Amino acid sequence: MDANAWDERYRAAERLWSAEPNRWVAREAAGLAPGRALDLAAGEGRNALWLAGRGWRVDAVDFSPVAVRRLAEAADHRQAEVRAVEADVTRYTAEDAAYDLVLLSYLHLPPRDMARVLALACRAARPGGTLLLVGHDVANLEHGTGGPQDPQVLSSVEGVEAAWEPCADVVVAEVARRPVGEAEALDTVVRAVRR
């Protein structure tokens, strides 16, 4: 989907996603000491705002002007230290070795674009910084519910590990089960520490 399609989705509802952080982001980031964070494909900013509420200084990037405006307004209202940036993450240039946490939450791209963004995450994290990806796992197509239906854009633990192993030590790599009503979704959760 392009930015215009996402804008239409955001315009169709007062809030497209929950205001609460993603459960896996909260689980994996709760114990980290606050610092500087980069949230790539931040959407309306639920994770960025949660991080800011815990003392993080967050750069939140998304290509949807509607989402970025909502995020900026929410950050202003909460007086949260979030800088909302309108940009396509596949062409975004982040400051090298500048972030204590680089987050990708439910970013689903074709393989070449995803490889570019995973490499960007590695470059943007400082040595000792955390890389965190949460996404719909490819196994979700047959064994879960919701999410994109194109297997080419879905995450896999093996794919993320392979992308990050040259630059980081993987400390969490799992397919996690997330309740969705009466069903379950299967999510890729990978956390790594930049070398």
Side-chain angles (χ1 to χ4, degrees), residues 166-187:
C167 72
D169 296 317
V170 173
V171 293
V172 173
E174 68 175 313
V175 178
R177 296 180 176 278
R178 176 174 42 89
V180 179
E182 298 293 316
E184 284 186 322
L186 302 179
D187 292 333

PDB file of all heavy atoms in Angstrom, residues 166-187:
ATOM      1  N   PRO A 166      25.015 -10.169  10.951  1.00  0.00           N
ATOM      2  CA  PRO A 166      26.316  -9.556  10.660  1.00  0.00           C
ATOM      3  C   PRO A 166      26.649  -8.339  11.533  1.00  0.00           C
ATOM      4  O   PRO A 166      27.808  -7.979  11.681  1.00  0.00           O
ATOM      5  CB  PRO A 166      26.191  -9.129   9.190  1.00  0.00           C
ATOM      6  CG  PRO A 166      25.127 -10.002   8.627  1.00  0.00           C
ATOM      7  CD  PRO A 166      24.159 -10.224   9.754  1.00  0.00           C
ATOM      8  N   CYS A 167      25.625  -7.702  12.125  1.00  0.00           N
ATOM      9  CA  CYS A 167      25.879  -6.470  12.868  1.00  0.00           C
ATOM     10  C   CYS A 167      25.490  -6.553  14.339  1.00  0.00           C
ATOM     11  O   CYS A 167      25.805  -5.649  15.116  1.00  0.00           O
ATOM     12  CB  CYS A 167      25.120  -5.306  12.227  1.00  0.00           C
ATOM     13  SG  CYS A 167      23.332  -5.371  12.485  1.00  0.00           S
ATOM     14  N   ALA A 168      24.785  -7.606  14.742  1.00  0.00           N
ATOM     15  CA  ALA A 168      24.215  -7.630  16.092  1.00  0.00           C
ATOM     16  C   ALA A 168      24.133  -9.056  16.612  1.00  0.00           C
ATOM     17  O   ALA A 168      24.187 -10.017  15.846  1.00  0.00           O
ATOM     18  CB  ALA A 168      22.813  -7.008  16.069  1.00  0.00           C
ATOM     19  N   ASP A 169      23.993  -9.164  17.926  1.00  0.00           N
ATOM     20  CA  ASP A 169      23.781 -10.453  18.573  1.00  0.00           C
ATOM     21  C   ASP A 169      22.293 -10.602  18.874  1.00  0.00           C
ATOM     22  O   ASP A 169      21.718  -9.780  19.604  1.00  0.00           O
ATOM     23  CB  ASP A 169      24.584 -10.541  19.873  1.00  0.00           C
ATOM     24  CG  ASP A 169      26.084 -10.478  19.620  1.00  0.00           C
ATOM     25  OD1 ASP A 169      26.551 -11.134  18.668  1.00  0.00           O
ATOM     26  OD2 ASP A 169      26.780  -9.755  20.361  1.00  0.00           O
ATOM     27  N   VAL A 170      21.682 -11.623  18.311  1.00  0.00           N
ATOM     28  CA  VAL A 170      20.252 -11.855  18.506  1.00  0.00           C
ATOM     29  C   VAL A 170      20.045 -12.470  19.888  1.00  0.00           C
ATOM     30  O   VAL A 170      20.686 -13.458  20.240  1.00  0.00           O
ATOM     31  CB  VAL A 170      19.694 -12.772  17.398  1.00  0.00           C
ATOM     32  CG1 VAL A 170      18.251 -13.152  17.682  1.00  0.00           C
ATOM     33  CG2 VAL A 170      19.816 -12.087  16.036  1.00  0.00           C
ATOM     34  N   VAL A 171      19.158 -11.861  20.683  1.00  0.00           N
ATOM     35  CA  VAL A 171      18.905 -12.348  22.045  1.00  0.00           C
ATOM     36  C   VAL A 171      17.487 -12.904  22.214  1.00  0.00           C
ATOM     37  O   VAL A 171      17.247 -13.697  23.114  1.00  0.00           O
ATOM     38  CB  VAL A 171      19.200 -11.265  23.109  1.00  0.00           C
ATOM     39  CG1 VAL A 171      20.685 -10.951  23.146  1.00  0.00           C
ATOM     40  CG2 VAL A 171      18.402  -9.998  22.867  1.00  0.00           C
ATOM     41  N   VAL A 172      16.563 -12.500  21.362  1.00  0.00           N
ATOM     42  CA  VAL A 172      15.210 -13.058  21.356  1.00  0.00           C
ATOM     43  C   VAL A 172      14.839 -13.300  19.900  1.00  0.00           C
ATOM     44  O   VAL A 172      14.999 -12.410  19.061  1.00  0.00           O
ATOM     45  CB  VAL A 172      14.172 -12.092  21.995  1.00  0.00           C
ATOM     46  CG1 VAL A 172      12.754 -12.622  21.811  1.00  0.00           C
ATOM     47  CG2 VAL A 172      14.469 -11.871  23.462  1.00  0.00           C
ATOM     48  N   ALA A 173      14.366 -14.505  19.605  1.00  0.00           N
ATOM     49  CA  ALA A 173      13.925 -14.842  18.255  1.00  0.00           C
ATOM     50  C   ALA A 173      12.823 -15.876  18.395  1.00  0.00           C
ATOM     51  O   ALA A 173      13.088 -17.038  18.705  1.00  0.00           O
ATOM     52  CB  ALA A 173      15.081 -15.385  17.427  1.00  0.00           C
ATOM     53  N   GLU A 174      11.577 -15.447  18.205  1.00  0.00           N
ATOM     54  CA  GLU A 174      10.470 -16.367  18.417  1.00  0.00           C
ATOM     55  C   GLU A 174       9.283 -16.022  17.533  1.00  0.00           C
ATOM     56  O   GLU A 174       9.153 -14.899  17.059  1.00  0.00           O
ATOM     57  CB  GLU A 174      10.029 -16.341  19.880  1.00  0.00           C
ATOM     58  CG  GLU A 174       9.387 -15.037  20.304  1.00  0.00           C
ATOM     59  CD  GLU A 174       8.834 -15.066  21.724  1.00  0.00           C
ATOM     60  OE1 GLU A 174       8.129 -16.037  22.079  1.00  0.00           O
ATOM     61  OE2 GLU A 174       9.103 -14.113  22.467  1.00  0.00           O
ATOM     62  N   VAL A 175       8.441 -17.013  17.356  1.00  0.00           N
ATOM     63  CA  VAL A 175       7.122 -16.804  16.780  1.00  0.00           C
ATOM     64  C   VAL A 175       6.173 -16.795  17.970  1.00  0.00           C
ATOM     65  O   VAL A 175       5.994 -17.821  18.642  1.00  0.00           O
ATOM     66  CB  VAL A 175       6.754 -17.901  15.764  1.00  0.00           C
ATOM     67  CG1 VAL A 175       5.340 -17.672  15.236  1.00  0.00           C
ATOM     68  CG2 VAL A 175       7.758 -17.926  14.617  1.00  0.00           C
ATOM     69  N   ALA A 176       5.623 -15.621  18.258  1.00  0.00           N
ATOM     70  CA  ALA A 176       4.788 -15.449  19.455  1.00  0.00           C
ATOM     71  C   ALA A 176       3.307 -15.484  19.074  1.00  0.00           C
ATOM     72  O   ALA A 176       2.912 -14.982  18.019  1.00  0.00           O
ATOM     73  CB  ALA A 176       5.131 -14.119  20.127  1.00  0.00           C
ATOM     74  N   ARG A 177       2.508 -16.044  19.957  1.00  0.00           N
ATOM     75  CA  ARG A 177       1.061 -16.149  19.727  1.00  0.00           C
ATOM     76  C   ARG A 177       0.351 -14.985  20.421  1.00  0.00           C
ATOM     77  O   ARG A 177       0.517 -14.785  21.616  1.00  0.00           O
ATOM     78  CB  ARG A 177       0.540 -17.476  20.268  1.00  0.00           C
ATOM     79  CG  ARG A 177       1.134 -18.662  19.548  1.00  0.00           C
ATOM     80  CD  ARG A 177       0.600 -19.976  20.098  1.00  0.00           C
ATOM     81  NE  ARG A 177       1.106 -21.090  19.334  1.00  0.00           N
ATOM     82  CZ  ARG A 177       0.596 -21.521  18.179  1.00  0.00           C
ATOM     83  NH1 ARG A 177      -0.453 -20.911  17.679  1.00  0.00           N
ATOM     84  NH2 ARG A 177       1.130 -22.540  17.547  1.00  0.00           N
ATOM     85  N   ARG A 178      -0.431 -14.241  19.630  1.00  0.00           N
ATOM     86  CA  ARG A 178      -1.144 -13.065  20.140  1.00  0.00           C
ATOM     87  C   ARG A 178      -2.648 -13.299  20.010  1.00  0.00           C
ATOM     88  O   ARG A 178      -3.151 -13.532  18.918  1.00  0.00           O
ATOM     89  CB  ARG A 178      -0.716 -11.829  19.342  1.00  0.00           C
ATOM     90  CG  ARG A 178      -1.438 -10.553  19.696  1.00  0.00           C
ATOM     91  CD  ARG A 178      -0.832  -9.357  18.958  1.00  0.00           C
ATOM     92  NE  ARG A 178      -0.507  -9.612  17.572  1.00  0.00           N
ATOM     93  CZ  ARG A 178      -1.351  -9.444  16.546  1.00  0.00           C
ATOM     94  NH1 ARG A 178      -2.594  -9.037  16.768  1.00  0.00           N
ATOM     95  NH2 ARG A 178      -0.960  -9.708  15.306  1.00  0.00           N
ATOM     96  N   PRO A 179      -3.402 -13.240  21.126  1.00  0.00           N
ATOM     97  CA  PRO A 179      -4.848 -13.439  21.037  1.00  0.00           C
ATOM     98  C   PRO A 179      -5.508 -12.330  20.217  1.00  0.00           C
ATOM     99  O   PRO A 179      -5.195 -11.154  20.374  1.00  0.00           O
ATOM    100  CB  PRO A 179      -5.325 -13.362  22.495  1.00  0.00           C
ATOM    101  CG  PRO A 179      -4.106 -13.385  23.342  1.00  0.00           C
ATOM    102  CD  PRO A 179      -2.952 -12.994  22.492  1.00  0.00           C
ATOM    103  N   VAL A 180      -6.406 -12.745  19.325  1.00  0.00           N
ATOM    104  CA  VAL A 180      -7.217 -11.813  18.535  1.00  0.00           C
ATOM    105  C   VAL A 180      -8.650 -12.337  18.615  1.00  0.00           C
ATOM    106  O   VAL A 180      -9.025 -13.232  17.859  1.00  0.00           O
ATOM    107  CB  VAL A 180      -6.740 -11.731  17.062  1.00  0.00           C
ATOM    108  CG1 VAL A 180      -7.625 -10.768  16.282  1.00  0.00           C
ATOM    109  CG2 VAL A 180      -5.279 -11.324  16.975  1.00  0.00           C
ATOM    110  N   GLY A 181      -9.416 -11.795  19.559  1.00  0.00           N
ATOM    111  CA  GLY A 181     -10.757 -12.327  19.783  1.00  0.00           C
ATOM    112  C   GLY A 181     -10.673 -13.785  20.182  1.00  0.00           C
ATOM    113  O   GLY A 181      -9.959 -14.158  21.113  1.00  0.00           O
ATOM    114  N   GLU A 182     -11.370 -14.652  19.443  1.00  0.00           N
ATOM    115  CA  GLU A 182     -11.365 -16.088  19.723  1.00  0.00           C
ATOM    116  C   GLU A 182     -10.189 -16.798  19.048  1.00  0.00           C
ATOM    117  O   GLU A 182      -9.955 -17.979  19.290  1.00  0.00           O
ATOM    118  CB  GLU A 182     -12.677 -16.719  19.235  1.00  0.00           C
ATOM    119  CG  GLU A 182     -13.916 -16.168  19.919  1.00  0.00           C
ATOM    120  CD  GLU A 182     -13.974 -16.519  21.389  1.00  0.00           C
ATOM    121  OE1 GLU A 182     -13.694 -17.686  21.738  1.00  0.00           O
ATOM    122  OE2 GLU A 182     -14.288 -15.630  22.190  1.00  0.00           O
ATOM    123  N   ALA A 183      -9.478 -16.097  18.193  1.00  0.00           N
ATOM    124  CA  ALA A 183      -8.389 -16.710  17.420  1.00  0.00           C
ATOM    125  C   ALA A 183      -7.032 -16.233  17.938  1.00  0.00           C
ATOM    126  O   ALA A 183      -6.942 -15.523  18.938  1.00  0.00           O
ATOM    127  CB  ALA A 183      -8.557 -16.354  15.941  1.00  0.00           C
ATOM    128  N   GLU A 184      -5.975 -16.634  17.230  1.00  0.00           N
ATOM    129  CA  GLU A 184      -4.619 -16.203  17.555  1.00  0.00           C
ATOM    130  C   GLU A 184      -3.914 -15.761  16.287  1.00  0.00           C
ATOM    131  O   GLU A 184      -4.110 -16.345  15.223  1.00  0.00           O
ATOM    132  CB  GLU A 184      -3.801 -17.350  18.158  1.00  0.00           C
ATOM    133  CG  GLU A 184      -4.118 -17.663  19.584  1.00  0.00           C
ATOM    134  CD  GLU A 184      -3.171 -18.711  20.140  1.00  0.00           C
ATOM    135  OE1 GLU A 184      -2.820 -19.654  19.403  1.00  0.00           O
ATOM    136  OE2 GLU A 184      -2.794 -18.579  21.311  1.00  0.00           O
ATOM    137  N   ALA A 185      -3.083 -14.734  16.416  1.00  0.00           N
ATOM    138  CA  ALA A 185      -2.192 -14.325  15.344  1.00  0.00           C
ATOM    139  C   ALA A 185      -0.784 -14.761  15.711  1.00  0.00           C
ATOM    140  O   ALA A 185      -0.443 -14.847  16.895  1.00  0.00           O
ATOM    141  CB  ALA A 185      -2.245 -12.808  15.157  1.00  0.00           C
ATOM    142  N   LEU A 186       0.016 -15.049  14.705  1.00  0.00           N
ATOM    143  CA  LEU A 186       1.390 -15.453  14.926  1.00  0.00           C
ATOM    144  C   LEU A 186       2.307 -14.317  14.503  1.00  0.00           C
ATOM    145  O   LEU A 186       2.256 -13.856  13.357  1.00  0.00           O
ATOM    146  CB  LEU A 186       1.715 -16.717  14.123  1.00  0.00           C
ATOM    147  CG  LEU A 186       0.841 -17.938  14.425  1.00  0.00           C
ATOM    148  CD1 LEU A 186       1.249 -19.105  13.553  1.00  0.00           C
ATOM    149  CD2 LEU A 186       0.914 -18.301  15.894  1.00  0.00           C
ATOM    150  N   ASP A 187       3.122 -13.858  15.439  1.00  0.00           N
ATOM    151  CA  ASP A 187       4.010 -12.716  15.201  1.00  0.00           C
ATOM    152  C   ASP A 187       5.475 -13.126  15.296  1.00  0.00           C
ATOM    153  O   ASP A 187       5.858 -13.888  16.190  1.00  0.00           O
ATOM    154  CB  ASP A 187       3.768 -11.623  16.250  1.00  0.00           C
ATOM    155  CG  ASP A 187       2.412 -10.951  16.110  1.00  0.00           C
ATOM    156  OD1 ASP A 187       1.875 -10.925  14.984  1.00  0.00           O
ATOM    157  OD2 ASP A 187       1.893 -10.451  17.124  1.00  0.00           O
TER     158      ASP A 187
END
